[in-house]
């Protein structure tokens, strides 16, 4: 089993944590302690989710995990095409340097492995018929 962590961009982290930090500062200033607790928990949970995104290649399956959630396994032999994308749609990816994986007939997922080149090599070892459209 090979595990890849998600690449993490400051463009994802800074806005989320800045906004939550500003709100926390307001909560402290206004002495809204329950609000501060809720904002702090949100901040911690956001960090937990972002830093636990992983992509595992196990036998002939790609397993995507994000915090406590595991996406349905993707059969690597069913992957048709992998393309680079800057799509900002919600995805298990903490970076804007993303790849879109198209598999089966109509399915797709957007991810952002830290070591994209090695990740692609591992997938191609299992399924050399994957079409790459990387920019």
């Amino acid at each position: 089993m090979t595990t890849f962590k998600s690449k993490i961009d400051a463009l994802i982290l800074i806005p989320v944590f800045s906004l939550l930090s500003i709100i926390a500062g307001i909560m402290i200033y206004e002495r809204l302690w329950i609000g501060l607790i809720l904002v702090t928990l949100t901040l911690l949970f956001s960090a937990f989710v972002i830093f636990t995104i992983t992509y595992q290649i196990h036998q002939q399956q790609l397993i995507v995990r994000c915090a406590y959630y595991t996406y349905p396994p993707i059969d690597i032999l069913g992957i048709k095409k992998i393309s680079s994308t800057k799509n900002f749609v919600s995805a298990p990816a903490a970076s804007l340097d993303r790849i879109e994986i198209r598999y089966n007939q109509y399915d797709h997922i957007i991810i952002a492995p830290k070591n994209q080149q090695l990740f692609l090599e591992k997938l191609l070892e299992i399924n050399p018929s994957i079409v790459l459209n990387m920019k």
Side-chain angles (χ1 to χ4, degrees):
M1 180 182 320
T2 308
T3 301
F4 296 86
K5 290 185 175 258
S6 177
K7 184 176 181 180
I8 300 171
D9 276 352
L11 286 174
I12 301 289
L13 287 179
I14 291 172
V16 171
F17 293 116
S18 294
L19 179 63
L20 290 172
S21 297
I22 290 167
I23 294 170
I26 292 168
M27 295 293 171
I28 291 169
Y29 180 78
E30 295 292 331
R31 291 187 161 89
L32 299 171
W33 306 121
I34 293 176
L36 178 62
I37 290 168
L38 292 175
V39 171
T40 302
L41 290 175
T42 302
L43 185 69
L44 292 173
F45 183 72
S46 298
F48 174 70
V49 167
I50 288 170
F51 288 103
T52 60
I53 300 170
T54 60
Y55 318 108
Q56 294 180 329
I57 298 173
H58 181 64
Q59 295 173 351
Q60 293 183 349
Q61 291 188 326
L62 172 60
I63 301 161
V64 178
R65 289 194 171 99
C66 182
Y68 296 112
Y69 182 74
T70 301
Y71 287 75
I74 298 168
D75 179 12
I76 295 172
L77 295 175
I79 296 175
K80 309 284 189 240
K81 183 178 180 182
I82 300 176
S83 306
S84 59
T85 183
K86 298 288 184 190
N87 193 333
F88 197 68
V89 70
S90 178
S95 170
L96 293 179
D97 183 17
R98 299 171 168 199
I99 58 176
E100 179 179 26
I101 298 176
R102 296 217 166 252
Y103 59 99
N104 298 335
Q105 188 155 353
Y106 301 110
D107 298 320
H108 68 97
I109 190 167
I110 296 175
I111 62 173
K114 188 181 269 186
N115 189 340
Q116 206 174 88
Q117 185 64 37
L118 181 60
F119 179 80
L120 294 173
E121 288 172 10
K122 294 286 185 184
L123 292 178
L124 287 168
E125 283 175 15
I126 297 168
N127 182 356
S129 67
I130 296 172
V131 175
L132 294 180
N133 185 15
M134 308 303 289
K135 295 174 188 166

